[in-house]
Amino acid sequence: MSELKILTRNVSRPNPAHIDSYLVNEGYVALPRALNEMTPEEVIDEVKIARLRGRGGAGFPAGMKWDFASRDRRKPKYIICNADEGEPGTFKDRVLIENDPHAILEGMALAGYAAGAEKGFIYIRGEYPQGARILERAIAEATSRSFLGDNILNSGFNFSVTVHRGAGAYVCGEETALIESLEGKRGQSRIRPPFPVNVGYSNLPTVVNNVETLASVPPIILRGGAWYASIGTPECPGTKLYSVSGHVARPGVYELPMGVTLRELIFDNAGGMREGRTFKAAFPGGASSACLDESQLDVKLDFNSLAVAGSMLGSGAVIVLDDTADMVKATHVLIKFFEHESCGKCTPCREGLFWVRRILDQILEGSASEQDLDLLLEICEGIRSTSFCGLGEASVSCVESTIKKFRGEYLAYLRNSGSGEAETEAAS
Amino acid sequence: MMVRLTIDGRQIMVDGHVNVLDAASKLGIHIPTFCHQARLSDLGACRMCLVEVEGMGKLQTACTLAVNDGMVVRTDTPRVEKARRMMLEFLLINHPLECTVCDASGECTLQDLAFKHGSAETRFKGKKRILRDHIISPLIDRNLNRCIQCKRCVRVCEEIQGVTALGMSYRGAATVVGPFMDKSLDCEYCSHCIWSCPVGAITSRAMKHKVRTWEMEKSEAICPYCSCGCTLSYNYRDNVVYRVTHAEGRGLNMGSLCSKGFFGYDVINHPDRITAPMVRDADGVLRRTTWQSALEEVARNMKRISRESGGKAVGGIASDRLTNEDLYLFQKLMRMVFSSNNVDTPSGLWSRTVVPVLEKRMGVRAATNSLDDLNYTDALLIVGCDITVANPISGLKVKQAIRRGGLVTEVNPGKTALSRLARRSLAVPVGKELALVKGLIKVILEEGLYDSETLGKYGKFSELEFSVRDKSLKEIARETDCSVDEITQTAREFAGAKKASIIFGETAVLQAGGEKVLEAVIDLLVLTGKLGQEGCGLYPILSGTNFQGALDMGVSPNWLPGHAAVSSDSERKRVEKAWNGKVPKDGGKSAYEMIQAAAAGKLKALYLAGVNPLATFPGGEDLEKALKKMEFLVVQELFLTDTAKLADVVLPATSLAEKNGTLTNVERRVQKTSKAIDGLGHSLPDWKIFSDLGVACGEEGMNYLNSSEVMDEIASVVPFYSGINHQILADNGLQWPFSRDDAREVYHEGYLGTRHLLPEGLSKDKQFFAAVPVWETHSADSKYPMTLVLGDLLFHSGSFTRYSESLNQLAAQATLLMNPQTGMGLDVQDGSSVRAVSTQGEFTVTVSYSEDIAPGMLFLPRHFKNAPVSALMIPGPDDQARTAIVHVRVVKA
């Protein structure tokens, strides 16, 4: 399966972020069409027909989210574009932010029109300073041409957008933590329900959509939901941006119809494995997904198929490891990330990850025993089943899946416990 | 809406807003939790309360899960038990197992739950996380390693106290609770964080390593430090009070306390307490003696002077910190035994200023409404009062109102702890409060915002309109240092609110002409119809603990018990009949008048009960001379104060922790306070001393077995106390008036007594509008251009708390607070010494710059020895001795 450029249609154009480049290629055509010819309900219906599912990781139907928000009678309402792209291995939103910011803004304006919001925020991770500048310039451009601001294109619809830079917390990619942070508070998840669509920013109805989700909206309005739904798989229509990283020949962002297999992605698009190396494992949905092994190369990379395979699509961050990889060390790296990023709110994530990392330290140091592996799994189960938010829940997938699929590598460390040679043995 | 759900196989009907945790507790099923507390916002963070719910895959936190009809919950499955054990194991990874030396041991939730659910062996290997730790304040200790990050302290500080002194820093396992930027704690020391901590992470330094929690007994009592009347719990062992704890959910404070209530207990077992009577011997030295000989000495001299020079040569001043029983017997002793109406309390000045206006205008003699109403007020006007200092827990209720969206406007010469939270804080200069209130009336009249029923009920507003005609809003705004918009908005908010009240305080009243402000405030209430209903009324607030009770008990030169006028023959007869004794006919002298009479040689014997004039009364050196001149001075005290050192007889009294009795708080609530420990040494409760003294004078009518008997007599003499006794008050305070018939009836939602006065509005014989013609209460003398506001600090009340070592750690010295702008104008630096000079006298004090004080105003805390404000204040009759405001000149020392 080869690339199908819908979201990335403008990426290779000269000066792609400029509004004129965007306008050349049917930019800001969907917005006036919606404002002039469609009711907000019709816009929502079109997105429902497209069966567009949220690209941030949860895969929740975007049309339904907008519908819930539009039905809430409280005002004002807000649209938040989640550009806090923090999942290790994910860099696809950055491509859109830096190369096609107007697609995001047009998508936000359409979402605002559909849901009845007049204010939008782009919450962009602090590590994307250039992206923030590009977005701010794009907002100024769009406002000066009446695609944003008051009375857009004389339609009577007002919509303005503000860029807010995050301060470097992974958890702020979780929508309620993002909202807390946007409100100036400590970035920690809120109790759900109520959900942001009803009680979000300033406790008012708020739609939080991922960058990629919003950028998908203008083409859907332009060509119709049915067209969009015909791409990809029936349950997961459309194209998906896959961030491919790790031991492949050509890492990068690839736009492919949903349902492409791992094998097709790596070998038909990303140039296959590094010279002379063979595939060992892949984390298909970033650091928080369970790894797939060689036997799973033909799993389709969509929400449903990956769930069946015991993993998840997440943000489509495919981290590929070849035969040189030490799975225990790789897991240790990932757990150190989650331990560092745990916000500290709930007990299992805060204390449990500290413990898990300690045991992995001990395994690598050669001071652990085989019982510790069972303890590790028990702790992971505890963290996964009792954590407050998705961060804790998903944080231990790497440990559980690598122990399940690569138990031998752990055992190699344990067998050499105390010999001081564990590292050399396992790495060879 | 009620819903039915099943928990562990048992069905229960509960309100639909309840969470599963509370529903379970109704069934007696205890679901363990660390982070949940009823008064705080939901967090769901500790994950200890996980339960299984049919149809929901994951375990759910009971504290955040709303009940649903038909919900089936299980709290007793192996899955739930495993999760609980896991959480405990997680928490114990890093929690130090130092229960042996932890002050929270014995009342630690983690300890209790680990004992119940946890495993005895730990599977964690390796080093625990050890966090840098240090003391963050003189009185509050933080131990980060013990912290389980339940955030209760952070939430209580923000949501209840409104201070936000604590927050979370860093993240993950490195998360720490602490002050901003990990500096030292900058807060009100309300102790809520100590209360809310389920482990030993935040503890009181005042009791550190002194006693184990399980060794102490607990006893509920009423806090002695202000007129709010909070319920607290004394914790004691071997007749020593080791700490105060919060009586969860009890009293009008629902357990909440302030710094004084929580830390001020060390006054009780202070080593300097007087424990035996003392009589001055022939050599002029105070020597310890027996009660019998001391009382005989007092009886002989008081009776002699009364007989020889008449009752007018005898006087008595009692503290408003005493109980109703103490105070009632005090005035009975003075009147009946020593034939003198010279009885007063230091707060009598307030009563004689405020009560006649309240009486004339509304026919009431106290706050019209309940403190509880403050929680739900929509608009509140606070005039001349720092409620967070005068009544800290009433202040909390105002803060709750603000959290609910209530619009609060402060009119005060300086900023308070509320200013940051309130809708607006108007720094109106002293003397101009009247102009501000009249400005509000003007807006309401001009915009027609008055209550339409008022017009029909109370007639025309022509006089009122006339009284506000001669100044434009612009002029008013200029004079009051406000903007026209601020005045207009305040007026609109107040008039437009459903529930609107006014709090009125000392700074406004105890200045020359202060009653005019009160008159205008009442005009405003009548005009807007904010009277006689829940949430609408007037709160005159003085901080003195039992100032209302002192008035009710007749500790007043002009009023007998029950506010009956001494001058009324029929009232006097009634009291005489009850006492089977005589009451002198002529009105007596006020406290300050007594001192003046002493200086003039007309007052020869003075009985001081719990009063230290040298610390608090006007007069400076003249006052000391007057006291020395006394032929006979009795001081009944806890400590050998400066005044006591001058006495001929010193009688050791007990603190409130050592006696039974009742106190009447600022909202007319009569509350029973109970003895925790026995009187120290030979000290006796004040009522007992008065009773014994009466008997020693040969008056059998002064013989009482206990304070309960005294209350029974009070109930028979004071009409609006009729029907109450110690037994009825045992569990709940009652707001007077109550009568014998309805005292046992539930008056309103579980309240007994009267929550709101004036349900029918004002009666026809009242003056509906005073229409105060002038615009300022008084103007300053050009020789003394600065206005000095004298007041309390949050950490002290009166001179009594100066004996608390803990509170002295928070504030031990007075400094003269002034705005830097004022300081620069005077060429006075922060920290330099100045002389404050009034018409009466002067003293030298150190200056502190503070942006909280309005330019041109000065603030000085009373009752500190290093700043004897007594020297500056004008002694004399009520209309001169207004003790809250002094006009001074400040010069470099």
Side-chain angles (χ1 to χ4, degrees):
Chain A
M1 200 180 280
S2 58
E3 283 205 86
L4 174 58
K5 298 201 171 187
I6 296 171
L7 289 159
T8 52
R9 64 193 180 280
N10 293 322
V11 168
S12 50
R13 304 174 75 83
N15 199 6
H18 196 273
I19 192 164
D20 289 331
S21 304
Y22 184 63
L23 288 168
V24 166
N25 197 7
E26 294 184 302
Y28 290 115
V29 174
L31 180 61
R33 184 178 296 171
L35 296 179
N36 296 329
E37 299 166 22
M38 298 166 83
T39 63
E41 293 73 35
E42 286 168 340
V43 174
I44 291 172
D45 285 345
E46 211 55 50
V47 175
K48 278 185 176 171
I49 291 166
R51 296 202 299 282
L52 173 62
R53 293 175 66 173
R55 291 328 197 215
F60 191 81
M64 268 167 76
K65 210 183 240 186
W66 294 7
D67 198 13
F68 290 146
S70 75
R71 282 169 199 272
D72 196 311
R73 267 178 283 174
R74 293 183 313 139
K75 285 203 161 207
K77 299 177 190 182
Y78 299 94
I79 304 294
I80 296 174
C81 169
N82 185 347
D84 191 56
E85 187 173 46
E87 180 68 28
T90 313
F91 39 87
K92 47 104 185 167
D93 290 342
R94 178 177 179 173
V95 171
L96 295 176
I97 292 165
E98 292 182 0
N99 296 292
D100 207 3
H102 286 285
I104 303 167
L105 296 178
E106 189 175 7
M108 286 180 76
L110 286 163
Y113 177 66
E118 296 194 339
K119 181 71 205 168
F121 293 101
I122 300 174
Y123 186 98
I124 185 167
R125 67 183 308 208
E127 294 87 340
Y128 284 177
Q130 199 190 346
R133 277 195 296 276
I134 290 169
L135 283 168
E136 272 167 356
R137 195 178 61 215
I139 291 166
E141 287 171 349
T143 310
S144 73
R145 309 226 185 159
S146 192
F147 296 124
L148 288 178
D150 287 348
N151 191 19
I152 293 171
L153 303 166
N154 282 322
S155 63
F157 172 61
N158 308 322
F159 191 76
S160 64
V161 177
T162 300
V163 176
H164 181 97
R165 289 182 60 191
Y170 169 69
V171 74
C172 290
E174 193 280 335
E175 59 180 4
T176 60
L178 182 154
I179 290 169
E180 287 280 295
S181 171
L182 191 61
E183 289 177 356
K185 300 176 190 154
R186 186 177 165 85
Q188 290 190 321
S189 306
R190 291 179 179 173
I191 296 163
R192 297 186 308 177
F195 292 94
V197 281
N198 300 115
V199 183
Y201 180 73
S202 291
N203 291 328
L204 288 159
T206 303
V207 169
V208 185
N209 282 148
N210 175 255
V211 167
E212 188 185 343
T213 316
L214 288 164
S216 302
V217 175
I220 290 172
I221 300 304
L222 220 50
R223 300 187 206 296
W227 159 79
Y228 188 84
S230 71
I231 304 164
T233 71
E235 297 82 19
C236 309
T239 56
K240 174 84 194 84
L241 297 181
Y242 295 96
S243 315
V244 185
S245 63
H247 299 155
V248 294
R250 286 197 297 124
V253 172
Y254 296 90
E255 182 176 11
L256 290 153
M258 276 272 200
V260 63
T261 65
L262 181 60
R263 190 189 299 281
E264 288 168 332
L265 179 65
I266 296 173
F267 293 96
D268 299 351
N269 291 279
M273 302 307 290
R274 290 190 298 182
E275 182 80 43
R277 292 293 168 189
T278 53
F279 176 88
K280 184 177 193 177
F283 295 91
S288 42
S289 62
C291 74
L292 303 177
D293 63 14
E294 208 184 343
S295 70
Q296 292 167 297
L297 268 170
D298 291 312
V299 168
K300 288 183 174 179
L301 301 178
D302 63 55
F303 292 114
N304 300 29
S305 309
L306 277 167
V308 170
S311 186
M312 65 174 188
L313 176 61
S315 53
V318 184
I319 304 169
V320 184
L321 302 176
D322 68 19
D323 54 339
T324 64
D326 178 331
M327 295 309 288
V328 183
K329 279 188 174 169
T331 305
H332 189 241
V333 168
L334 294 177
I335 279 299
K336 269 164 76 177
F337 169 79
F338 287 114
E339 187 203 9
H340 178 67
E341 291 295 349
S342 169
C343 78
K345 177 170 179 163
C346 74
T347 308
C349 178
R350 181 185 66 240
E351 306 290 343
L353 287 172
F354 170 88
W355 196 358
V356 167
R357 198 258 305 157
R358 276 295 171 91
I359 295 175
L360 287 170
D361 285 349
Q362 287 158 357
I363 290 173
L364 289 172
E365 283 163 12
S367 61
S369 68
E370 203 168 336
Q371 288 102 294
D372 287 325
L373 223 47
D374 297 328
L375 176 60
L376 201 51
L377 286 173
E378 197 186 319
I379 298 167
C380 288
E381 202 272 335
I383 296 172
R384 182 165 41 73
S385 61
T386 65
S387 284
F388 186 92
C389 79
L391 192 160
E393 273 174 42
S395 64
V396 291
S397 304
C398 58
V399 183
E400 291 179 312
S401 63
T402 53
I403 292 180
K404 189 174 165 196
K405 296 198 163 85
F406 301 96
R407 196 178 176 91
E409 294 196 23
Y410 284 90
L411 292 175
Y413 274 101
L414 298 173
R415 265 197 300 277
N416 292 296
S417 268
S419 71
E421 292 167 25
E423 215 159 309
T424 15
E425 282 272 323
S428 62
Chain B
M1 190 194 65
M2 298 295 279
V3 300
R4 182 186 298 277
L5 72 160
T6 312
I7 305 176
D8 293 347
R10 293 159 63 193
Q11 289 212 336
I12 185 172
M13 289 282 285
V14 291
D15 184 276
H17 302 291
V18 161
N19 63 40
V20 170
L21 191 108
D22 292 335
S25 81
K26 283 191 202 319
L27 281 171
I29 297 168
H30 176 72
I31 299 175
T33 177
F34 292 106
C35 69
H36 181 76
Q37 244 185 338
R39 73 181 88 84
L40 303 179
S41 62
D42 290 341
L43 193 67
C46 75
R47 320 304 283 173
M48 193 61 205
C49 67
L50 290 167
V51 294
E52 230 175 293
V53 181
E54 216 164 76
M56 297 174 109
K58 284 190 72 175
L59 295 175
Q60 302 289 317
T61 43
C63 70
T64 61
L65 185 65
V67 293
N68 253 325
D69 203 39
M71 192 178 247
V72 179
V73 179
R74 291 228 70 106
T75 76
D76 55 358
T77 63
R79 210 173 135 212
V80 169
E81 184 59 25
K82 190 178 169 196
R84 286 177 184 173
R85 287 174 66 115
M86 195 95 226
M87 289 315 117
L88 286 165
E89 195 168 9
F90 283 151
L91 288 172
L92 289 168
I93 286 173
N94 284 313
H95 187 88
L97 300 179
E98 56 190 17
C99 306
T100 46
V101 292
C102 177
D103 278 327
S105 189
E107 49 192 30
C108 167
T109 315
L110 183 56
Q111 194 181 44
D112 292 347
L113 291 178
F115 184 78
K116 190 173 172 196
H117 302 279
S119 164
E121 70 180 301
T122 175
R123 296 186 287 178
F124 176 74
K125 287 186 295 191
K127 283 184 185 153
K128 286 175 186 278
R129 171 197 63 207
I130 296 173
L131 292 164
R132 189 172 54 88
D133 209 2
H134 61 263
I135 296 157
I136 51 168
S137 84
L139 294 180
I140 297 176
D141 236 1
R142 175 191 61 173
N143 185 320
L144 291 173
N145 294 317
R146 292 179 191 160
C147 177
I148 59 166
Q149 276 94 2
C150 69
K151 238 178 143 181
R152 268 154 63 153
C153 55
V154 173
R155 282 177 290 157
V156 83
C157 190
E158 180 180 342
E159 295 168 16
I160 305 293
Q161 198 66 20
V163 168
T164 325
L166 291 171
M168 313 290 280
S169 309
Y170 311 105
R171 65 189 185 206
T175 306
V176 295
V177 167
F180 181 63
M181 298 296 282
D182 227 21
K183 293 180 176 156
S184 62
L185 197 54
D186 176 13
C187 75
E188 299 178 356
Y189 288 90
C190 68
S191 75
H192 278 129
C193 54
I194 297 173
W195 181 20
S196 62
C197 184
V199 293
I202 299 188
T203 51
S204 161
R205 280 181 72 72
M207 75 152 244
K208 191 171 185 169
H209 298 167
K210 283 189 180 152
V211 65
R212 308 300 338 226
T213 53
W214 56 85
E215 293 173 343
M216 293 179 285
E217 284 182 75
K218 290 188 182 190
S219 168
E220 274 185 19
I222 301 300
C223 175
Y225 290 126
C226 83
S227 57
C228 198
C230 296
T231 300
L232 52 70
S233 175
Y234 287 118
N235 291 216
Y236 56 95
R237 190 195 73 184
D238 301 334
N239 217 46
V240 175
V241 174
Y242 279 99
R243 67 168 175 177
V244 159
T245 49
H246 309 77
E248 179 85 49
R250 299 278 296 151
L252 60 96
N253 52 318
M254 300 298 280
S256 282
L257 294 174
C258 72
S259 55
K260 294 185 283 271
F262 187 80
F263 289 110
Y265 63 86
D266 55 347
V267 169
I268 300 166
N269 292 94
H270 196 286
D272 294 348
R273 278 280 299 273
I274 316 168
T275 52
M278 288 183 276
V279 172
R280 197 169 292 279
D281 66 10
D283 304 327
V285 181
L286 280 173
R287 292 209 189 278
R288 290 169 68 112
T289 181
T290 62
W291 270 109
Q292 197 188 348
S293 72
L295 289 176
E296 275 170 9
E297 178 78 7
V298 177
R300 194 174 58 245
N301 284 291
M302 293 292 286
K303 286 202 75 147
R304 177 180 56 79
I305 294 170
S306 169
R307 195 174 55 240
E308 289 171 1
S309 311
K312 285 180 184 168
V314 177
I317 308 170
S319 166
D320 58 16
R321 207 184 295 284
L322 303 187
T323 65
N324 288 328
E325 292 77 359
D326 298 335
L327 291 163
Y328 174 80
L329 286 195
F330 176 70
Q331 58 85 36
K332 185 175 178 185
L333 178 76
M334 294 307 299
R335 289 195 158 107
M336 190 173 84
V337 183
F338 302 134
S339 310
S340 178
N341 276 323
N342 293 339
V343 282
D344 201 4
T345 71
S347 59
L349 177 63
W350 161 274
S351 297
R352 284 187 300 279
T353 312
V354 171
V355 173
V357 180
L358 297 181
E359 167 69 39
K360 178 183 71 172
R361 301 291 307 280
M362 305 194 286
V364 301
R365 298 183 191 90
T368 59
N369 287 49
S370 301
L371 291 177
D372 193 48
D373 283 12
L374 292 175
N375 281 309
Y376 307 98
T377 185
D378 298 320
L380 182 69
L381 187 63
I382 304 179
V383 184
C385 178
D386 182 350
I387 184 78
T388 63
V389 169
N391 253 203
I393 302 304
S394 303
L396 291 192
K397 293 174 192 285
V398 176
K399 287 173 183 174
Q400 283 310 303
I402 293 172
R403 280 186 78 83
R404 290 189 165 92
L407 308 172
V408 174
T409 301
E410 272 188 313
V411 179
N412 217 36
K415 287 211 161 62
T416 73
L418 269 187
S419 308
R420 200 169 45 83
L421 308 167
R423 178 79 157 189
R424 66 181 68 79
S425 189
L426 306 177
V428 175
V430 170
K432 305 291 185 189
E433 298 93 339
L434 179 59
L436 192 272
V437 178
K438 284 179 69 174
L440 300 177
I441 292 172
K442 189 176 174 79
V443 173
I444 288 164
L445 286 172
E446 282 175 0
E447 300 191 2
L449 302 172
Y450 44 79
D451 181 41
S452 52
E453 278 179 37
T454 311
L455 191 60
K457 226 171 177 175
Y458 304 128
K460 288 185 183 143
F461 306 142
S462 50
E463 257 185 88
L464 198 59
E465 276 167 345
F466 187 78
S467 74
V468 296
R469 192 171 294 169
D470 56 328
K471 268 192 211 285
S472 70
L473 269 183
K474 244 185 176 162
E475 284 173 274
I476 298 169
R478 202 175 50 238
E479 284 180 14
T480 56
D481 284 355
C482 301
S483 68
V484 170
D485 188 55
E486 283 171 327
I487 298 174
T488 314
Q489 290 302 330
T490 306
R492 287 177 189 160
E493 285 164 13
F494 190 82
K498 195 160 167 262
K499 293 178 178 176
S501 296
I502 300 181
I503 288 176
F504 190 79
E506 223 183 335
T507 315
V509 171
L510 296 185
Q511 56 169 287
E515 58 272 38
K516 291 187 207 119
V517 190
L518 180 53
E519 296 268 19
V521 158
I522 296 171
D523 282 359
L524 178 60
L525 284 172
V526 176
L527 181 66
T528 49
K530 310 295 186 201
L531 270 176
Q533 0 161 359
E534 188 175 332
C536 293
L538 180 64
Y539 299 88
I541 289 188
L542 185 71
S543 62
T545 310
N546 198 23
F547 81 91
Q548 184 66 46
L551 174 69
D552 299 347
M553 294 306 112
V555 182
S556 163
N558 323 103
W559 290 313
L560 296 167
H563 312 161
V566 169
S567 56
S568 155
D569 289 342
S570 60
E571 290 291 352
R572 225 171 42 247
K573 290 244 159 60
R574 192 175 60 81
V575 173
E576 284 178 340
K577 196 178 164 206
W579 288 354
N580 193 21
K582 281 279 174 210
V583 174
K585 208 168 158 181
D586 299 330
K589 292 186 177 64
S590 71
Y592 303 152
E593 286 166 346
M594 282 184 236
I595 301 293
Q596 290 218 306
K602 289 178 183 162
L603 192 87
K604 295 182 172 149
L606 186 60
Y607 197 129
L608 300 173
V611 182
N612 181 9
L614 288 180
T616 55
F617 280 30
E621 286 172 10
D622 293 345
L623 170 64
E624 195 171 340
K625 275 185 216 154
L627 289 172
K628 281 181 175 160
K629 209 170 167 181
M630 299 302 311
E631 195 178 322
F632 190 65
L633 179 64
V634 185
V635 174
Q636 184 167 312
E637 258 297 357
L638 271 68
F639 296 96
L640 199 62
T641 61
D642 292 345
T643 307
K645 284 176 188 158
L646 304 177
D648 297 294
V649 179
V650 178
L651 304 175
T654 61
S655 72
L656 212 47
E658 300 149 72
K659 64 184 170 192
N660 292 314
T662 62
L663 294 162
T664 305
N665 81 347
V666 70
E667 52 162 359
R668 301 172 272 107
R669 185 178 300 277
V670 186
Q671 304 192 98
K672 168 96 194 312
T673 182
S674 301
K675 182 178 125 157
I677 60 169
D678 294 329
L680 259 56
H682 298 286
S683 64
L684 289 174
D686 295 83
W687 69 264
K688 176 69 176 155
I689 301 173
F690 300 138
S691 169
D692 288 352
L693 182 57
V695 173
C697 291
E699 186 56 69
E700 270 313 304
M702 287 294 289
N703 192 4
Y704 299 89
L705 205 57
N706 50 42
S707 61
S708 170
E709 262 187 27
V710 183
M711 179 41 81
D712 291 344
E713 183 175 317
I714 293 169
S716 72
V717 174
V718 177
F720 48 89
Y721 276 59
S722 163
I724 59 160
N725 56 48
H726 280 191
Q727 247 176 331
I728 287 177
L729 296 174
D731 214 39
N732 248 320
L734 299 175
Q735 283 169 284
W736 62 251
F738 18 72
S739 72
R740 194 174 294 280
D741 300 330
D742 64 15
R744 281 179 190 77
E745 282 172 26
V746 174
Y747 193 85
H748 185 281
E749 288 179 0
Y751 282 82
L752 295 150
T754 310
R755 295 191 70 191
H756 315 107
L757 301 177
L758 303 173
E760 311 294 329
L762 298 182
S763 69
K764 288 231 165 63
D765 61 329
K766 295 299 162 199
Q767 179 193 6
F768 300 137
F769 297 107
V772 184
V774 296
W775 289 89
E776 57 182 11
T777 44
H778 67 281
S779 50
D781 182 338
S782 60
K783 283 190 205 154
Y784 304 96
M786 313 287 292
T787 303
L788 173 61
V789 180
L790 299 172
D792 288 327
L793 290 179
L794 174 61
F795 304 128
H796 284 282
S797 72
S799 57
F800 189 51
T801 51
R802 283 203 326 224
Y803 289 95
S804 165
E805 299 297 329
S806 294
L807 295 173
N808 283 342
Q809 287 195 56
L810 301 177
Q813 295 264 315
T815 55
L816 183 69
L817 299 186
M818 68 168 68
N819 192 290
Q821 206 183 310
T822 314
M824 280 180 244
L826 292 166
D827 193 23
V828 166
Q829 301 299 313
D830 188 25
S832 65
S833 270
V834 293
R835 281 193 302 137
V837 186
S838 79
T839 52
Q840 291 303 302
E842 62 172 78
F843 63 81
T844 305
V845 66
T846 307
V847 165
S848 277
Y849 277 3
S850 168
E851 298 279 358
D852 291 347
I853 309 299
M857 300 281 143
L858 304 167
F859 178 86
L860 189 73
R862 299 183 274 225
H863 315 322
F864 283 102
K865 276 192 172 174
N866 72 315
V869 296
S870 163
L872 300 182
M873 293 188 292
I874 306 164
D878 289 355
D879 55 337
Q880 288 171 23
R882 295 297 170 89
T883 49
I885 305 293
V886 179
H887 294 288
V888 294
R889 190 171 71 224
V890 172
V891 284
K892 281 204 210 175

